[in-house]
Amino acid sequence: MMSNMILKNCKTIDDKIINIIIENGKITKICKDIKSSQNTSDNIIDIKNKIVIPGLIDSHVHFRDPGLTHKEDWKTGSMAAAHGGYTTVVDMPNTSPLTDTAKNFKEKKEIALKKSYVDFGLQAGVKTKKDVDEILKEKPTSYKIFMDLHENDRLDEMFGYIEGTNKTLCLHCEDKNLVDYNTKILKSNPEYDNKTKAYSYARSALAELISLNRAIELASKYNIKLHICHVSTRQALELIGPAKEKIDITIEATPHHIFLDNSIYDSYGVKAKTNPPLRDKKYNITTDKLNKFDSIATDHAPHTLEEKQKDTWTSAAGIPGLEVTLKLLLTEVNNNRLKLDDVVRLTSTNPAKIFNIENKGQIKQGYDADITVLDMKEEGKIDPENFYTQGKYTPFEQRKFQGCNIMTINRGRIISEYDEVIKEDCKYIH
């Protein structure tokens, strides 16, 4: 049985002071005053009027385990999550081997149960109808298709496999044919070998739109609920708006697509390379568009520095995000460009709803005691040397922030306090 905990003097996002009583990992009572009969815990923490929000849920991480653990593994990735204020993550299926069979799915789950510092779910890849149905018995959080890897006929088959599963299908939307064609043309010109902006033109905004339009057609055909990962252009938002009236579709933003455009390639170079790429200012997402989004996920995708520091075409695509995202968002709150309740909605409440994660995403009686404590006055500069992830790089390096998490509590146990991360048991969410 887990030890009980009382959090005293917690400030809510609407400026109320509350006390939170926790028993066996659940919130059992939220009250203004604690009666002497309730004050029985030997683990009483005075939050000192700091703001508490639900533990963050990142529905899009790449922990590279198994098979690619020289980049990241479940231990280092989940430590980064706890350090960044996250209590739950959902890992992507493009590990080695791919998580697209029941055998591979169960093996990854066992690895994560041993190593993870946070609660977790797993997305499953889509291979055959038989594999999809077998994995369904293991209760995946969702399924995932990287549309940039498949021709249209194959995509039609894969979408068909998801029909009737009652699971969300997550998509990476870039059109394979256009990306391949653009890449071939641009790679033939040697002057683009060290001009990372060429990569963003190869994987163009149009490629995202073509793929997204195809996804909407197929989802309508097979009656599938869609979640579009890392939407990167304002034009995509214009396409998704009308689609929401026809199909069940939700969309996610990432911190790098919100806060950066492809001009960062001029200063930070190829280390800022990611898929989909950072966009030109005439296309990119900005904070004022977040009201159109359903969630924010990090797409935490670390690589070794050796893999990142090659030329435009051969360097690895991916950016670590777990330890910068909340700092960036809270800075926007302090600068009056974003509301704190929007941060909670996008990083916790909505992800729980989108992926049917029970008893998480809210500070509410009966829910898991997943709580992130904020210090809205804490200031500093983002320094990758302080990261727990193996990916010690970020295009946000030395960026000033104001506001950060100072404590992360997962099911009533502290898993991070300031820069210390603590191992507790995790659980598989389903």
Side-chain angles (χ1 to χ4, degrees):
M1 184 175 289
M2 299 179 194
S3 62
N4 297 344
M5 175 185 284
I6 296 175
L7 304 179
K8 293 175 59 178
N9 302 315
C10 305
K11 183 184 283 190
T12 65
I13 59 174
D14 54 357
D15 284 336
K16 295 176 183 176
I17 302 299
I18 60 169
N19 303 289
I20 302 173
I21 299 175
I22 299 165
E23 294 180 5
N24 302 324
K26 299 283 186 182
I27 298 171
T28 56
K29 193 170 185 62
I30 299 171
C31 52
K32 186 175 181 181
D33 300 301
I34 300 177
K35 298 175 183 177
S36 57
S37 60
Q38 296 170 326
N39 200 1
T40 57
S41 175
D42 58 359
N43 190 11
I44 300 173
I45 301 174
D46 190 347
I47 301 300
K48 299 179 181 177
N49 294 352
K50 294 289 194 296
I51 294 173
V52 295
I53 63 173
L56 275 63
I57 299 170
D58 190 347
S59 59
H60 191 158
V61 303
H62 297 266
F63 280 176
R64 312 298 193 192
D65 193 351
L68 303 167
T69 53
H70 63 286
K71 305 172 188 276
E72 189 79 291
D73 65 15
W74 269 99
K75 179 180 178 181
T76 56
S78 62
M79 290 176 81
H83 189 223
Y86 291 85
T87 53
T88 305
V89 299
V90 180
D91 189 59
M92 297 298 103
N94 58 336
T95 40
S96 182
L98 298 172
T99 317
D100 58 4
T101 67
K103 177 179 180 290
N104 295 346
F105 191 94
K106 286 187 278 190
E107 286 178 357
K108 181 186 280 191
K109 187 195 297 186
E110 289 304 312
I111 291 169
L113 283 169
K114 292 175 184 175
K115 292 185 179 181
S116 185
Y117 281 57
V118 297
D119 293 346
F120 69 94
L122 299 177
Q123 286 194 11
V126 178
K127 187 176 183 181
T128 67
K129 178 62 175 171
K130 180 176 180 286
D131 288 309
V132 165
D133 290 343
E134 288 180 352
I135 291 172
L136 190 61
K137 299 171 188 174
E138 301 299 320
K139 300 181 178 179
T141 304
S142 48
Y143 290 90
K144 174 76 177 279
I145 295 175
F146 296 84
M147 293 181 70
D148 59 324
L149 302 180
H150 304 285
E151 301 288 349
N152 283 336
D153 289 347
R154 174 60 177 155
L155 289 172
D156 198 316
E157 289 178 359
M158 296 167 84
F159 272 68
Y161 301 156
I162 307 301
E163 185 178 26
T165 62
N166 200 32
K167 285 289 183 179
T168 298
L169 177 60
C170 297
L171 297 174
H172 179 125
C173 288
E174 292 185 284
D175 181 72
K176 181 182 188 319
N177 291 331
L178 185 56
V179 168
D180 288 350
Y181 174 78
N182 287 344
T183 302
K184 181 179 179 181
I185 296 298
L186 290 166
K187 282 179 74 173
S188 67
N189 189 336
E191 75 173 272
Y192 290 128
D193 286 351
N194 294 301
K195 290 186 179 179
T196 312
K197 275 186 181 177
Y199 190 78
S200 65
Y201 303 142
R203 305 182 79 97
S204 65
L206 181 59
E208 180 177 67
L209 289 173
I210 293 171
S211 181
L212 179 56
N213 190 62
R214 178 69 171 154
I216 292 167
E217 290 176 354
L218 290 172
S220 181
K221 177 179 178 179
Y222 292 109
N223 192 27
I224 298 170
K225 178 184 175 183
L226 292 186
H227 181 72
I228 310 300
C229 300
H230 42 49
V231 171
S232 67
T233 65
R234 295 194 293 272
Q235 289 74 10
L237 294 179
E238 294 173 9
L239 187 61
I240 289 162
K244 286 199 171 202
E245 299 175 8
K246 302 175 185 177
I247 63 172
D248 191 347
I249 181 171
T250 52
I251 59 173
E252 104 193 358
T254 70
H256 42 278
H257 289 116
I258 300 166
F259 295 113
L260 299 173
D261 57 67
N262 68 2
S263 66
I264 192 70
Y265 294 139
D266 295 333
S267 57
Y268 198 69
V270 76
K271 285 193 294 181
K273 179 179 168 182
T274 187
N275 294 335
L278 303 175
R279 300 299 183 191
D280 188 278
K281 282 185 177 179
K282 61 187 175 185
Y283 302 125
N284 75 309
I285 301 297
T286 46
T287 307
D288 62 318
K289 299 295 183 184
L290 286 178
N291 62 328
K292 297 182 181 294
F293 282 84
D294 300 288
S295 67
I296 292 173
T298 67
D299 191 8
H300 176 84
H303 299 279
T304 67
L305 283 173
E306 182 183 1
E307 292 168 322
K308 288 296 295 182
Q309 294 175 311
K310 297 181 180 180
D311 67 40
T312 295
W313 309 109
T314 59
S315 62
I319 299 172
L322 281 163
E323 292 166 277
V324 302
T325 299
L326 187 54
K327 288 183 172 75
L328 295 169
L329 294 173
L330 295 181
T331 301
E332 293 296 283
V333 172
N334 275 316
N335 289 331
N336 297 313
R337 290 192 287 264
L338 194 61
K339 293 182 179 179
L340 189 54
D341 57 355
D342 288 327
V343 174
V344 172
R345 173 179 63 86
L346 292 163
T347 63
S348 194
T349 309
N350 276 6
K353 290 177 181 177
I354 292 166
F355 295 99
N356 297 310
I357 301 172
E358 293 183 356
N359 299 317
K360 293 185 183 290
Q362 298 182 60
I363 297 177
K364 185 177 178 180
Q365 187 172 322
Y367 274 53
D368 287 355
D370 294 357
I371 295 165
T372 298
V373 183
L374 308 179
D375 185 338
M376 295 301 293
K377 295 181 179 178
E378 179 74 20
E379 295 184 57
K381 291 182 180 180
I382 292 172
D383 183 357
E385 289 302 312
N386 296 328
F387 288 177
Y388 277 89
T389 174
Q390 291 183 44
K392 307 289 187 189
Y393 64 95
T394 173
F396 299 106
E397 186 170 352
Q398 294 304 305
R399 187 163 176 148
K400 292 180 180 178
F401 69 85
Q402 182 182 3
C404 67
N405 59 297
I406 56 173
M407 183 181 291
T408 310
I409 298 170
N410 186 30
R411 287 181 288 111
R413 296 167 303 178
I414 296 171
I415 58 171
S416 178
E417 188 168 8
Y418 293 97
D419 287 327
E420 181 184 5
V421 176
I422 303 142
K423 180 74 169 84
E424 295 284 356
D425 289 339
C426 66
K427 74 173 183 179
Y428 178 68
I429 58 168
H430 52 79

